[in-house]
Structures are given as structure tokens and as C-alpha cells.
Amino acid sequence: VTLLARAAREHRRVEEIYGRLLSRYALGKTALPGNLSLGIQKYFERNFFSILFMSIFISLKIPRERRLLYGVILHCARAIVTCTDNILDNERKGTVHLAPGTGNNVLDNTMLMLMSYGVMSGAVKAVADDESTSDSIERALLDGMSSVAAAEGLASRGSQMLKPDEVIKQIHQKIGGELLGLALLAPIKNEPGLEQQLAFASKGVMNIGVALQMMDDVTDIEDDMVAHRVNLL
């Protein structure tokens, strides 16, 4: 409990840094961070996985300055994924919004996505030891997002019947495990003394992500059948 409380405090700091970096862009100055005004319980509920990852960084004794940057990278990746979902589903979810914005949901989310990528790229360069490492981290993050996106596309094709082990390997391990695993890509490539510990953490994260997707399939079985989405059951 003490560890998670500490991680929650550090995640609030991560969001403050993200907001400050976002405000360097003209449109980013209008951003409204909805998370920072939440009370402790609601903040923890809405940011559970981000806080969990911060607790992993703390447990591994990664220096505070670097783990805050890893947190910023994670927060940017989260914003990019959320903006993409918002465009596909015509929604306005997420931890930050543009106000007043352009008045167009697609444009607002596209601009926020682009600015978040700019912040993420800057954080990667700030935390990496050299240009080669920063390039490797950025490629890994984009490749990871592409892999998750491809799996989402496959999941929507429910007319293509997959065997349960194929569902887990081709969909759950990607939109569940690999999506959560985005948070560990930067430290895996940038913390040479922590390979074994990060490998353990990565395996645990993958298992959690797959388990969550299995739970989603149980709760979403009716909706998935109607929408012709792939479902483990």
C-alpha cells in the first residue's frame, strides 16, 4: 500500500510534467488535465495501471528523474492510444482534453495525438543515453502500437472463426499483453543492469494483459456476438 501510494504521488508529478511539455505547443496551452483534480480513490481507480508501472520502476530502484521520464513516455503512449480509440468510436475520453479545441472531434484528437507524440519523442531523447538508443526506443514504441492496432483489426472480424489458442496468441497477447508492455519498452532498452528484473516484470505484465482480455470476453460475449467480433468463448 505504501509503495502504491508513493507511485500515485509520482504519477501526479508525471502528469504535471506532461502538461508543462504539452503547453509548449500553441494548441497545447488550452489543454485541460481532468485527472489532477480527482481525489485519491478516484485517481487511483482511473490510473491504476499507470500507477502500477510507476511502482515497478520504484521497486527496481530506477533513479527518480529517469522513472518520471519513463512515466511521461507511458502517459504519452496512453494518450495516443486513447485518441485513436476516440477517433474510431467518435468519443471524447482520456486524461486530457483540448479546450475549446477546434470543434471537430477527429481534428482535436489528431492534434492531441501529434502533440503527445512530440512530447514522447522529447522524453525518449532526454532519458536515453545516446541517439542510437533513443531511435531504438521510438521504433519499438511505434512498432508495438502497430502490432496492437493490427490485432484490433483482426478482433473486429468475428466472421473469421479462430481457435481459442489462436485468439490468445493473435489477439489477447497483443491488445492485452503488448499494449500494457508498451510501458516497459523504454527501460528494457535503456537500463542495461536490470535485464532479468525487467524480463520478469514484462512476463507478469503480459499475463495480466491476457487475463484482462479473457475477462472482457466473458463480460462482452453478447455484444461481441451482435457486433461479429472475435471472442474467446
Side-chain angles (χ1 to χ4, degrees):
V1 172
T2 301
L3 174 62
L4 289 174
R6 179 181 176 187
R9 289 194 298 271
E10 290 203 358
H11 187 261
R12 284 185 184 270
R13 178 59 183 150
V14 163
E15 289 202 84
E16 290 171 356
I17 296 171
Y18 168 79
R20 175 172 54 79
L21 295 174
L22 198 67
S23 68
R24 295 182 305 173
Y25 301 99
L27 197 56
K29 298 182 189 302
T30 70
L32 297 175
N35 255 352
L36 292 175
S37 61
L38 296 175
I40 295 173
Q41 181 177 338
K42 280 295 182 183
Y43 189 84
F44 187 83
E45 290 175 0
R46 188 170 295 181
N47 301 282
F48 172 76
F49 286 106
S50 295
I51 292 169
L52 177 65
F53 284 116
M54 292 305 296
S55 76
I56 292 174
F57 301 153
I58 294 170
S59 297
L60 295 178
K61 295 181 171 56
I62 295 173
R64 186 173 187 272
E65 183 179 353
R66 287 213 301 277
R67 65 177 181 254
L68 288 176
L69 286 170
Y70 291 141
V72 171
I73 293 168
L74 165 59
H75 199 66
C76 291
R78 179 180 171 186
I80 292 168
V81 170
T82 301
C83 286
T84 304
D85 284 343
N86 284 344
I87 291 171
L88 293 173
D89 301 333
N90 193 29
E91 293 179 335
R92 187 179 162 83
K93 296 180 179 178
T95 62
V96 63
H97 302 284
L98 300 180
T102 64
N104 183 296
N105 189 54
V106 173
L107 287 177
D108 283 350
N109 280 288
T110 300
M111 293 308 302
L112 184 56
M113 187 190 309
L114 289 170
M115 289 186 292
S116 293
Y117 181 80
V119 172
M120 184 176 74
S121 181
V124 168
K125 290 178 173 63
V127 78
D129 293 331
D130 52 64
E131 185 175 348
S132 175
T133 302
S134 66
D135 287 346
S136 177
I137 292 172
E138 285 199 53
R139 285 197 305 272
L141 287 166
L142 287 176
D143 287 346
M145 292 181 199
S146 297
S147 178
V148 172
E152 281 284 3
L154 179 60
S156 67
R157 297 197 293 270
S159 58
Q160 179 180 350
M161 185 64 71
L162 298 176
K163 295 179 180 179
D165 59 339
E166 293 174 333
V167 173
I168 293 171
K169 184 176 181 179
Q170 297 180 35
I171 297 177
H172 289 179
Q173 287 186 358
K174 295 183 181 296
I175 65 177
E178 287 188 16
L179 180 61
L180 290 184
L182 291 173
L184 296 176
L185 289 179
I188 283 173
K189 291 183 174 295
N190 199 52
E191 301 291 336
L194 297 175
E195 293 96 337
Q196 185 176 15
Q197 295 96 318
L198 285 167
F200 282 130
S202 183
K203 184 176 180 179
V205 166
M206 174 69 75
N207 289 338
I208 291 173
V210 170
L212 287 171
Q213 288 305 309
M214 290 178 172
M215 290 171 61
D216 278 350
D217 279 5
V218 173
T219 58
D220 296 345
I221 178 64
E222 184 176 354
D223 292 340
D224 286 347
M225 289 178 68
V226 172
H228 300 291
R229 283 180 58 86
V230 173
N231 188 294
L232 182 66
L233 301 184

